[in-house]
Amino acid sequence: MSRTAVAVLGTGIMGAGMARSLCRAGLDVRVWNRTRSAAEPLAAAGAAVAGTPAEAVRGADVVITMLTDGPTVLEVVRAAADGLTAGQVWLQTSTVGPSGFAPLAAFAAEHGLDLVDAPVLGTRQPAEAGRLVVFAAGSQRARATAVHVLAAVADRTVWLADDPAGAAASRLKLVVNSWVLATATGAAEAIALAEGLGLDARAFAETVAGGGLDSPYLQGKAAAVAAGDFSPAFGLATAAKDARLILAEAEAAGLRLDMAAAVATRFARAVEQGHGGKDLAATYLVSTDG
């Protein structure tokens, strides 16, 4: 029996981790990245490094896109068009929001691709361990074709709809990310406030540990801030992009989300100050900026 062939377009923090998980599961993995040097280390894990998007997707059963935003995804799949074949399953795992998803759905329809709206929840460590959560909307055929791919990268796939056009998964991803960004910002500001009031930086996290206000995510971000370790698991620049998406979609829905607006402004300031390549916990670093 032939192995499922998977093309991964985009091998940043998340894409590289997913590709390693796919290789570990024994799938036939091809990878492409705009900066080839970011993809080349995956050859040691068993992936074939392609020179172009079209080369990567040619003959693949499943195509995965894990890129920065909707316009970038569209640019890359257009560059891959010569290698695409009608009927290929396309797992669109980037966080693009419903507005960003619409042009991708149109491209998929034009080229006969079996599109799955499949943004993922998780950071570097879950991606590398194959323990992401996938929010998904797509056909029963796509589900069957991608079953081994999803099993390799995720602990759980939450299927929301059979028709991806409604972008149900992309909508839910923004909802969940609004909580993620708020939690990281809240932890950063609580630690900054503790320090400003003359307390130990660890006082907040230690006080809430194990109680109803606690969560593993809060403890992880608090520990990173306390240690001054901002190596990226979820890049701040990417988080800032997600904050903009959340705010734009909320405004389009007629909502006023004051916290989302404040988070978007704070993250933009952090990026402007040169912290974009760090983890989103580095939002802490702008707490003393007047």
Side-chain angles (χ1 to χ4, degrees), residues 157-287:
T157 299
V158 181
W159 288 99
L160 299 165
D162 290 334
D163 183 0
S170 284
R171 295 173 193 275
L172 181 56
K173 179 62 191 302
L174 291 190
V175 172
V176 174
N177 268 19
S178 71
W179 177 88
V180 169
L181 303 190
T183 299
T185 302
E189 291 199 346
I191 292 169
L193 180 60
E195 291 179 312
L197 297 180
L199 299 172
D200 188 282
R202 296 165 294 184
F204 163 64
E206 290 177 352
T207 300
V208 302
L213 300 177
D214 196 18
S215 73
Y217 191 76
L218 184 153
Q219 289 293 334
K221 293 306 175 190
V225 170
D229 178 8
F230 301 113
S231 53
F234 181 0
L236 200 154
T238 301
K241 177 267 299 183
D242 290 354
R244 293 193 299 271
L245 287 178
I246 291 164
L247 192 59
E249 294 295 343
E251 291 175 347
L255 301 174
R256 177 174 174 174
L257 301 186
D258 296 328
M259 183 182 296
V263 168
T265 299
R266 183 182 179 93
F267 279 35
R269 186 167 82 251
V271 171
E272 288 170 3
Q273 293 185 13
H275 303 303
K278 301 172 184 175
D279 188 75
L280 82 165
T283 181
Y284 161 82
L285 298 173
V286 299
S287 298

Side-chain angles (χ1 to χ4, degrees), residues 7 9 22 57 244 262 268:
L9 303 180
L22 292 164
V57 304
R244 293 193 299 271

Side-chain angles (χ1 to χ4, degrees), residues 28-59:
D28 176 6
V29 181
R30 307 92 175 271
V31 296
W32 172 87
N33 196 70
R34 191 185 306 276
T35 304
R36 187 182 175 99
S37 60
E40 287 176 340
L42 294 167
V49 180
T52 66
E55 179 186 341
V57 304
R58 189 168 288 113

Side-chain angles (χ1 to χ4, degrees), residues 20 33 88 90 93 110 114 123 131 158 210 234 248 282:
R20 291 185 191 281
N33 196 70
Q88 281 178 306
W90 174 15
T93 66
E110 178 185 350
D114 201 348
T123 55
R131 302 191 65 182
V158 181
F234 181 0

Side-chain angles (χ1 to χ4, degrees), residues 90-192:
W90 174 15
L91 295 181
Q92 202 310 100
T93 66
S94 318
T95 301
V96 301
S99 296
F101 184 75
L104 307 182
F107 178 91
E110 178 185 350
H111 292 269
L113 304 176
D114 201 348
L115 176 61
V116 181
D117 180 21
V120 301
L121 178 64
T123 55
R124 180 195 296 271
Q125 186 175 0
E128 293 179 346
R131 302 191 65 182
L132 296 168
V133 176
V134 179
F135 305 129
S139 71
Q140 293 294 326
R141 174 187 174 276
R143 298 187 193 196
T145 301
V147 62
H148 297 302
V149 174
L150 292 169
V153 302
D155 266 346
R156 184 163 63 110
T157 299
V158 181
W159 288 99
L160 299 165
D162 290 334
D163 183 0
S170 284
R171 295 173 193 275
L172 181 56
K173 179 62 191 302
L174 291 190
V175 172
V176 174
N177 268 19
S178 71
W179 177 88
V180 169
L181 303 190
T183 299
T185 302
E189 291 199 346
I191 292 169

